[in-house]
Amino acid sequence: VSQSRYYSAVEFRAFRRCVRIAAVLENVGYPMSKWRFEKIFMWLFLLVTLVLVGWYNLTKPSILIMHSYDKDYSWVRDINTGLNRVLKNKYLYQVRWYYMDTKRHPDEKYKNIAGISARDLVKQTRPDVIIAMDDDAQKYVAKYFSNDPNIKIVFGGVNKEAEDYAYEKAKNVTGILERLPLTAISET
């Protein structure tokens, strides 16, 4: 009893192409043995797989996490713990961390150099999202990309007003201002 198998249109076209390739190779003096035929398709499969994996990695959304301070600062460690919880599926996107270290180097010259370096990183990597933490990351980096239609900015830990960084009218910026709840503090 023979069992017939029905082939999809895609499978049938792929089979026809294979037969044509084999015929062409045999016509130019290369007899196609089954082993050689399988070897060519194995390499073809590997090549297509590598191209697809590379394409996937190149097109993943990228996130740049920009900290004003260094990674050993306790506030930064706490923020990173929270971000790592939220960004636990790192295979879905590329994450890059950048620490400006302006807490240990408070002079204006260092901050300007750190800001230029960070802005250059943004221009080179073109992340989809910048998560900018604290005021120095806003002042020296993120504000330069407000209203850039290709980059979304999320800010946090900002003590100044959003207007100080021209965020109030920017369409690509959102975030949290750091405020003490003064109405909750009262003397009895």
Side-chain angles (χ1 to χ4, degrees):
V1 177
S2 67
Q3 226 177 6
S4 61
R5 182 176 188 284
Y6 295 98
Y7 294 96
S8 71
V10 172
E11 289 173 319
F12 184 72
R13 280 190 296 246
F15 176 74
R16 257 187 17 214
R17 281 188 206 114
C18 294
V19 169
R20 278 192 232 134
I21 291 170
V24 168
L25 290 174
E26 285 179 3
N27 285 340
V28 293
Y30 294 104
M32 279 300 273
S33 67
K34 183 179 178 184
W35 177 84
R36 186 177 205 142
F37 194 66
E38 288 174 355
K39 189 174 181 182
I40 288 172
F41 281 104
M42 178 188 68
W43 283 108
L44 185 63
F45 174 77
L46 287 174
L47 179 68
V48 169
T49 302
L50 286 173
V51 167
L52 288 175
V53 168
W55 175 80
Y56 172 75
N57 283 323
L58 289 174
T59 59
K60 285 195 293 190
S62 62
I63 301 170
L64 174 62
I65 300 170
M66 178 78 52
H67 283 287
S68 296
Y69 307 139
D70 69 300
K71 63 183 174 185
D72 296 326
Y73 190 60
S74 63
W75 189 78
V76 172
R77 282 196 315 264
D78 293 343
I79 295 294
N80 285 345
T81 299
L83 287 171
N84 279 321
R85 278 190 207 134
V86 172
L87 303 173
K88 62 185 168 204
N89 295 329
K90 291 184 180 171
Y91 63 90
L92 296 175
Y93 30 76
Q94 299 172 6
V95 180
R96 176 172 276 178
W97 305 77
Y98 189 85
Y99 302 92
M100 294 175 62
D101 199 13
T102 60
K103 187 77 164 176
R104 292 189 302 172
H105 306 281
D107 58 291
E108 196 64 28
K109 183 179 179 184
Y110 178 85
K111 289 181 179 185
N112 282 323
I113 292 170
I116 291 169
S117 175
R119 288 193 306 270
D120 287 344
L121 176 68
V122 171
K123 289 174 187 171
Q124 287 172 351
T125 60
R126 298 302 298 171
D128 297 297
V129 178
I130 298 174
I131 300 175
M133 302 307 297
D134 220 307
D135 287 279
D136 286 342
Q138 315 312 313
K139 180 179 179 182
Y140 296 101
V141 184
K143 77 174 187 178
Y144 292 93
F145 300 97
S146 67
N147 284 320
D148 183 327
N150 300 315
I151 298 176
K152 306 290 185 226
I153 299 171
V154 180
F155 65 85
V158 173
N159 296 311
K160 293 185 178 181
E161 298 299 322
E163 293 82 20
D164 293 336
Y165 306 114
Y167 288 166
E168 73 280 3
K169 294 181 183 174
K171 296 182 189 237
N172 66 328
V173 179
T174 188
I176 300 171
L177 298 171
E178 188 175 327
R179 300 288 181 261
L180 290 175
L182 294 178
T183 58
I185 300 173
S186 63
E187 291 186 40
T188 54

